[in-house]
Amino acid sequence: MNENENEMNYVPSGNNMQNGGPQEGFTFKWFNLFLGVAFCFWWLDGNGGYGGSWTTLLLLSIVVVVHELGHVVVGKSFGCSIKEMQVFFLPFVSYKPKQQPGGSSWRNITWSLGVLPLGGVTMFKSRGAGDGYGLTPAASPYIEDKPAWQRMLISAAGVLFNIATFIILYFAMPYMSEEWSGFFWPLTVMSLFIAVLNVLPIYPLDGGAIMFALYEIFTGKKPSAQFTKICGWIGFVFIVLFFWVFPGWLNSILDYIMRLVF
């Protein structure tokens, strides 16, 4: 997922703030880590989706990193300023690179790891009151100033990166040893699976953001911030139910994709 920070109303915890932003170096949220440990015991006991194993969790994290890097790379190519890239939800550890005068803009990104494996999120810097007005879309670092077609490509980038991963691994599989193919085959399937799930027209999944951008392209109007926020919370509840409360739906989709593609 890629999100405007104002739309999701993301507020870092107090112990992770310094002059309005995250501290440099590592910061930890111990309560979230405690929740994550409890969740892992529950999940690895066979109560969650995806088969509930450490290997599956590792593969899922790789797929999510690739997905979110798609949003980051394409967003930066259009001149967007990125606040944070987060793998999994309920972050328990974050890393902010040390700032250097004239340093790379990649140092402005906070990298976070969460404990709830429901995907990830890339948070773009959003304009505050009185910030950035009068800038051309190309010069503005704020994602809301970019044309709808650029925002649509940023939203689609994660899916495209996952599809590219699937294609590369799928065609490389015959040239791998049995040991390596045994590791990369689940990663290949999961890359396609996550790509398909993310194009569902549910906000805040990428498919929902793409639908909003298409609406703006054809009508010339942006959906209101209040409407997108409501859609975001409804979609998040749906994702939780879809992934963890009724995982049978998830397994059915995975089985269908396997039969269709392989």
Side-chain angles (χ1 to χ4, degrees):
M1 291 186 291
N2 67 94
E3 297 302 339
N4 177 300
E5 63 175 284
N6 283 347
E7 289 177 355
M8 293 302 291
N9 198 26
Y10 174 79
V11 181
S13 65
N15 64 352
N16 195 34
M17 298 291 288
Q18 181 181 26
N19 298 324
Q23 295 178 356
E24 294 177 355
F26 287 96
T27 55
F28 296 86
K29 299 178 182 178
W30 300 109
F31 181 71
N32 286 359
L33 180 59
F34 170 78
L35 291 178
V37 171
F39 174 81
C40 283
F41 277 108
W42 173 84
W43 192 71
L44 294 172
D45 196 38
N47 296 299
Y50 311 123
S53 71
W54 287 109
T55 301
T56 307
L57 195 61
L58 172 62
L59 294 175
L60 179 62
S61 66
I62 293 173
V63 173
V64 173
V65 167
V66 170
H67 183 98
E68 297 306 325
L69 279 176
H71 296 311
V72 171
V73 170
V74 175
K76 287 182 68 64
S77 71
F78 288 135
C80 295
S81 180
I82 296 162
K83 182 177 180 180
E84 182 175 359
M85 191 189 100
Q86 181 178 306
V87 177
F88 299 160
F89 293 96
L90 287 181
F92 72 93
V93 59
S94 298
Y95 175 71
K96 174 77 171 181
K98 185 176 181 180
Q99 301 302 290
Q100 297 177 350
S104 169
S105 61
W106 286 85
R107 288 185 170 272
N108 297 325
I109 303 174
T110 298
W111 310 90
S112 299
L113 178 63
V115 297
L116 192 60
L118 289 174
V121 61
T122 298
M123 286 172 275
F124 289 80
K125 187 176 181 181
S126 183
R127 188 199 308 111
D131 292 337
Y133 290 99
L135 295 175
T136 63
S140 175
Y142 307 114
I143 189 170
E144 63 263 42
D145 292 339
K146 302 302 178 182
W149 69 269
Q150 290 187 1
R151 285 184 274 112
M152 182 178 67
L153 288 179
I154 292 171
S155 297
V159 171
L160 295 176
F161 269 49
N162 287 144
I163 291 176
T165 301
F166 164 76
I167 293 173
I168 292 171
L169 292 177
Y170 183 81
F171 286 102
M173 201 66 60
Y175 304 98
M176 296 182 185
S177 66
E178 184 176 347
E179 180 181 3
W180 282 110
S181 63
F183 175 80
F184 281 109
W185 177 247
L187 185 63
T188 304
V189 175
M190 194 172 294
S191 295
L192 179 62
F193 181 50
I194 295 300
V196 171
L197 285 182
N198 270 277
V199 296
L200 293 175
I202 303 167
Y203 193 75
L205 293 179
D206 298 324
I210 292 170
M211 292 297 294
F212 286 155
L214 286 173
Y215 172 82
E216 183 178 346
I217 290 172
F218 286 110
T219 67
K221 300 177 181 179
K222 287 185 179 181
S224 69
Q226 187 65 24
F227 178 74
T228 56
K229 182 178 292 187
I230 292 172
C231 288
W233 286 112
I234 293 175
F236 185 77
V237 171
F238 178 84
I239 291 169
V240 171
L241 293 174
F242 188 75
F243 277 74
W244 300 114
V245 180
F246 305 108
W249 296 6
L250 200 62
N251 294 330
S252 298
I253 292 177
L254 179 59
D255 290 340
Y256 176 77
I257 293 173
M258 290 289 290
R259 291 195 302 269
L260 186 65
V261 178
F262 306 109

